[in-house]
Each structure stands twice: as C-alpha cells, then as structure tokens.
Amino acid sequence: MRRVSVFGSTGSVGESTLDLLARRTDCQVVVLTGGRNVARLAEQARAYRAELAVTAHDACLPELRAALAGTGIEVAAGSAALVEAGARPADWVMSAIVGAAGLAPGFAALAQGGVLALANKESLVTAGALLKAEAARHGATILPVDSEHSAVFQALVGEDIAAVEKVTLTASGGGLRDWPVDQLARATPADAGRHPNWAMGQRITIDSASMFNKAMEVIEAREFFGLTPDKIDVLIHPQSLVHALVGFTDGAVMAHLGAPDMRHAIGYALNWPARAPLPVARLDLAQAGRLDFHPPDPARYPALGLAWQVMETGGTAGAVFNAAKEAALDAFIDGRIGFLDMAWLVAETLETFARNNDISREPASLSEVLETDQEARSRAAALARGLPRPGAA
Ligand code: NDP
C-alpha cells in the first residue's frame, strides 16, 4: 500500500486529488488537512479513513474533534501541527495549501525522501533554493502539479535541459481579459473571481485575472527547471488547451495540450514515472476549431513584469513578492483597495524592502524566509492602509 497525504484537502486541488484517490485501491490516506471548512475535512477523513485530520486553526479544533469522535481518527490544529503532520511517514504528499502557509509542511515532508507533489506555487517562489537542497539531502522528488509546469516537465522527458531555448507558459488572460483597460481599476472581487476556463479557488482565480498567478508561475518555472529568466516567456491563449511550449536549440517546439482539468497534472504526478488512464475529457481539436495566441499587454497586466524583477534580484525577493501579493490580495478581497492597486502595492513593497534590506542575499534557513514573509506582509498591509478605498472620492 502506498501511503498518501493531502495537505489542503478541502480546497480545489485537494478535492481533485481525493477524487483520483477514490478510484484507486493501492493508496492508504495518512493525513488530510484543511482550514476553516471543518465539516468537509471531517467528512473526507471519514470517507477516506485517514489516520490524522488537521485544521490550520486552533479555534476549529473542538468542532473537528466532535465531528470525528468515536472514529479513531486523530485530530490536531495549528501551524505546528501541520508541520508535524508533514513529517508523518508517507510515500506521496500533495502540497495544496494555498499561500505561504503551505511552505513549512511541504518542507517537512521532504525529509521522508518520498514524492512531494507541489501544487503550492508559493513554496518554490519563496524558498526555491532551500526546498531543492532539502529534497537533494533526503533523496526526495519534487513533482510539479501546476498544469503549466507539469506540461513543461512532460515535454522535457528524455531531453537535455541545455538544449532548451525557450519555455513558454500560456495564460488564459483571466476573468477580466476582455474588459477595457481603463475600466480595470473598478473591477470588484466578484468580477475578478470568475474564470473563463478553469474551476479553481477564489485566490488563484483573482490572481489569474491580475496575472500575479502567471508571475508566480514564471518564477516557479525558473526554480523547477533551472532556466535563466530570458528563456521564459508568456503568451495569452484564451482557449487554455495548450498548457506550455518548450522550444529547443534545433528549432523544434514541443507543446503539451489537454482539456483544462487539474486531474491531469495531479494524476500525472500520482502515476509518475508511468502513465495510467485518467478520468479527464479528451481533447477534441476539430471541435475546438482554433487555437489563438497573443502577447500579454503590460498595461493590462502590470503584475506580470514584476516576475523578471524578482528573478533578477534573487535572494529573498520571491518571499517579499509573494507576501506583498498575499497582503494586497487580502486587501482587495476585503474591498480596501482597488484591482490595479495590487500591482502598485507589490512593486512599492519590493522597492521599499530593497532600500532597507539586502534582499539579493540568499536566505540561509526556512525561518529567515518566514521572517521576511512576515515583515513584507506588514509593510504591504501598512501601504494598503494608506490607499483610498475603492469608490472613495
Ligand atoms: P483553495 O483556496 O481552493 O484551497 C486551499 C486549501 O488550503 C484549503 O484546503 C484551505 O482550507 C487550506 N488553507 C487555507 N488557508 C490555510 C492556512 N492559512 N493554513 C493551512 N491551510 C489553509 O486553493 P486551490 O486548491 O485553488 O490552490 C491550492 C494551491 O495550489 C495554491 O497554492 C494554488 O496557487 C495552487 N494551484 C491551484 C490550482 C487550481 O487549479 N486550483 C492550479 C495550480 C496550482 P479551507 O478551505 O478548509 O479553509
């Protein structure tokens, strides 16, 4: 039996992972974790006979304990409990907590030397070098679950990374892609939270509309594949059928295509290095009819360019970028700042942080990354407080 844990099981990627696990008989679920959706976490823990269910919030523990009373399933709460759960023996661990909160549990899981299936893009963006060093130290494998990175990974099977000339990540353009640019400042969280092609959590859906998500993915691609920043680019592809393209020095381009369904990338990581049938819709190109591509407009997506700034700076710039982005997103979701303020806020946080700290120095430890995260988060939150509320005169 393969021992499998799912961090962030109550979320969009977590649910898709459990859907695939439900179809298998060779996996034993060890740990499931959630945040505030305690009822769903308890339901999952019962259905999958998990050993341990963990909620991120101490205040949710009594509800979780009551919901699982008499089942023999262990319960725990809090960020330390999530890290301890990461260290619980498992052969395959899905890292699908949203945000920087996913970093430490995934890091702990690497010490077991198994597979870390990485959906949590914040991990590589904030602590790429540390994560890779930890994986190497323990002989663990990090597999990409983001669909674009899974696509690149698949296109690179049997290839020499030195022969890669360009990696192109595609982007749908998000829920506001057809809005006039001069209207974007007025977009609400509900407007930005509608995705044209993918069903995902609220935060990543808004990040798709701003392209902060793509900026994160560009940095993640650099970390995953060891590419220099000039070898990565982004194209808008409204149909979301081509997930990534890899161009080689001989002029050949390998594209990865498939229906927009996260169960493909999750299933690939679950079956890797083999392939096995997956319950995803088959691609029908005749029905699709056309595949469109165009470069992103920097005026529409000011967040995207910040990825190259972060990559050129290196060090803790990724941690500052992500923390500021999360704080900006919180402020936008709460109606405290406007849609376009998010990119301004993150750029400003990066700049003020760089003025007062040596952010190009590589962090020596995970705790240094987490300290930077906290500091950048509070600076961004303070900057957000200084901005006028949307709609204010
Ligand atoms: P969701 O918002 O749907 O789910 C997030 C999960 O994390 C839930 O289980 C949630 O619990 C839990 N959670 C929330 N806050 C915390 C916290 N502070 N500490 C611990 N757990 C917490 O996110 P997605 O599934 O959409 O995304 C998960 C990760 O995967 C993100 O990093 C995202 O960027 C990445 N990703 C997602 C894709 C997608 O298609 N959705 C595609 C590629 C990557 P609860 O809901 O119970 O509060």
Side-chain angles (χ1 to χ4, degrees):
M1 269 296 186
R2 210 166 166 209
R3 289 172 60 85
V4 170
S5 292
V6 182
F7 285 73
S9 61
T10 54
S12 169
V13 173
E15 289 282 7
S16 294
T17 306
L18 289 181
D19 176 74
L20 293 179
L21 291 175
R23 300 160 197 265
R24 300 178 70 124
T25 52
D26 61 341
C27 294
Q28 154 71 39
V29 172
V30 182
V31 177
L32 295 178
T33 83
R36 301 206 180 276
N37 194 348
V38 175
R40 183 65 189 136
L41 177 60
E43 200 176 9
Q44 292 176 341
R46 281 173 183 268
Y48 289 83
R49 298 169 196 277
E51 287 178 18
L52 168 66
V54 186
T55 162
H57 308 288
D58 293 326
C60 295
L61 186 58
E63 186 187 344
L64 184 62
R65 185 173 284 130
L68 291 175
T71 60
I73 299 168
E74 296 167 64
V75 294
S79 42
L82 284 172
V83 175
E84 274 171 37
R88 186 166 287 222
D91 307 299
W92 191 93
V93 175
M94 166 55 74
S95 167
I97 288 174
V98 67
L103 172 60
F107 196 86
L110 289 172
Q112 301 173 45
V115 169
L116 181 68
L118 197 61
N120 177 274
K121 56 193 80 184
E122 295 83 357
S123 295
L124 279 178
V125 170
T126 59
L130 289 171
L131 215 68
K132 288 185 286 182
E134 185 73 356
R137 190 162 32 249
H138 298 286
T141 304
I142 304 177
L143 292 178
V145 171
D146 230 329
S147 58
E148 294 78 359
H149 304 75
S150 176
V152 174
F153 188 75
Q154 293 179 51
L156 285 175
V157 170
E159 303 288 355
D160 179 358
I161 193 77
V164 172
E165 209 165 59
K166 188 71 98 188
V167 163
T168 302
L169 307 180
T170 58
S172 69
L176 307 175
R177 66 187 180 199
D178 299 323
W179 279 42
V181 174
D182 61 3
Q183 300 288 311
L184 287 175
R186 290 189 207 153
T188 65
D191 297 325
R194 277 187 284 270
H195 199 281
N197 307 333
W198 293 90
M200 308 186 287
Q202 182 200 33
R203 297 183 74 86
I204 185 176
T205 304
I206 297 175
D207 281 350
S208 295
S210 62
M211 277 229 196
F212 266 117
N213 181 50
K214 207 52 57 180
M216 298 277 288
E217 289 177 2
V218 166
I219 304 167
E220 193 187 7
R222 172 191 162 81
E223 294 296 336
F224 244 121
F225 305 109
L227 299 162
T228 50
D230 58 307
K231 287 191 172 177
I232 309 171
D233 71 2
V234 171
L235 277 180
I236 304 260
H237 167 49
Q239 292 89 356
S240 295
L241 295 176
V242 177
H243 304 309
L245 303 112
V246 180
F248 294 92
T249 45
D250 63 356
V253 177
M254 305 282 278
H256 179 284
L257 288 84
D261 184 334
M262 278 306 292
R263 291 177 305 171
H264 174 76
I266 298 166
Y268 185 79
L270 199 53
N271 295 317
W272 179 85
R275 286 190 188 271
L278 291 171
V280 297
R282 280 9 187 192
L283 183 65
D284 184 342
L285 278 178
Q287 195 196 8
R290 53 187 283 178
L291 301 173
D292 299 296
F293 301 91
H294 61 267
D297 171 6
R300 180 179 288 282
Y301 301 111
L304 183 60
L306 295 175
W308 279 268
Q309 188 183 323
V310 168
M311 291 188 290
E312 296 298 349
T313 309
T316 50
V320 174
F321 173 76
N322 178 66
K325 192 266 306 177
E326 289 191 26
L329 183 57
D330 287 339
F332 175 64
I333 290 173
D334 292 349
R336 286 181 278 124
I337 64 170
F339 181 73
L340 291 178
D341 292 336
M342 289 192 285
W344 176 86
L345 195 70
V346 174
E348 193 66 14
T349 308
L350 273 167
E351 207 178 303
T352 56
F353 219 91
R355 265 202 303 273
N356 302 310
N357 306 268
D358 179 10
I359 66 170
S360 59
R361 193 177 52 78
E362 280 302 321
S365 65
L366 201 59
S367 45
E368 200 180 316
V369 173
L370 298 174
E371 273 164 35
T372 303
D373 173 280
Q374 285 308 316
E375 205 179 324
R377 216 170 270 268
S378 14
R379 282 199 201 182
L383 281 169
R385 282 193 291 278
L387 287 172
R389 274 184 171 266

